[in-house]
């Protein structure tokens, strides 16, 4: 006798998923570089307080920028279902709100701390934001993803 068990259907993977995974990977490499350079420069200008500030600024940039790609990757798990669009926008908007609230909390918590050099932390945070924009542009540019992807034309089999 055989069991009448059908294997679970393969998950449909949107074409943006490999691009976002590359963004996270190269963003991690960028963060390591910014942390090293920021720590060295921070040490030269402000001693160990500068190193701490550079590492905190880099960590903030990585977390804030990683939340965006991670939320889209999480939302893409629902791709192909009937609830994909509302779930996608709900998760991405929730990630944006999380970043906003987290930034406000960290700004107030770190303000005036004696173990923080605000200039070093601000500059590494800005370097992380600008660097991640460069990474995003380069990864998307090199992905060679078509303008219209994940489209089913009339008469095509959508499950093929």
């Amino acid at each position: 006798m055989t069991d009448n068990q059908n294997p679970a259907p393969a998950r449909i993977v949107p074409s943006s998923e490999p691009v976002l995974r590359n963004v996270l990977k190269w963003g991690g490499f960028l963060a390591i570089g910014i942390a090293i350079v920021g720590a060295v420069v921070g040490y030269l200008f402000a001693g160990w307080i500068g190193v701490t500030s550079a590492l905190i600024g880099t960590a903030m940039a990585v977390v804030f920028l990683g939340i965006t790609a991670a939320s889209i990757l999480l939302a893409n798990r629902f791709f192909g279902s009937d609830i994909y669009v509302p779930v996608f926008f709900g998760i991405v908007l929730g990630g944006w709100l999380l970043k906003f609230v987290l930034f406000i909390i960290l700004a107030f918590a770190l303000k005036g701390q004696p173990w923080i050099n605000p200039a070093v932390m601000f500059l590494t945070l800005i370097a992380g934001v600008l660097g991640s924009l460069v990474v995003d542009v380069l990864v998307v540019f090199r992905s060679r993803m078509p303008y219209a992807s994940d489209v089913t034309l009339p008469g095509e089999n959508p499950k093929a």
Side-chain angles (χ1 to χ4, degrees), residues 119-139:
V120 173
M121 189 172 79
F122 176 75
L123 291 174
T124 55
L125 184 59
I126 294 299
V129 169
L130 293 177
S132 72
L133 290 174
V134 171
V135 165
D136 289 348
V137 167
L138 290 176
V139 167

Side-chain angles (χ1 to χ4, degrees), residues 21-113:
R21 290 190 190 281
N22 279 336
V23 164
L24 288 175
K25 178 178 76 173
W26 289 106
F29 292 143
L30 172 75
I32 291 169
I34 290 174
I36 292 169
V37 171
V40 169
V41 172
Y43 182 77
L44 293 175
F45 285 103
W48 288 107
I49 291 174
V51 172
T52 304
S53 302
L55 295 178
I56 290 172
T58 303
M60 287 174 64
V62 167
V63 168
F64 294 145
L65 301 166
I67 287 174
T68 301
S71 67
I72 294 171
L73 285 171
L74 176 65
N76 279 343
R77 298 278 178 190
F78 296 93
F79 185 77
S81 71
D82 293 337
I83 61 170
Y84 173 66
V85 173
V87 167
F88 179 87
F89 285 109
I91 290 173
V92 173
L93 179 61
W96 182 83
L97 289 172
L98 174 69
K99 290 192 303 187
F100 181 72
V101 169
L102 192 60
F103 181 79
I104 297 296
I105 290 170
L106 286 172
F108 282 115
L110 296 174
K111 181 181 178 185
Q113 293 296 328

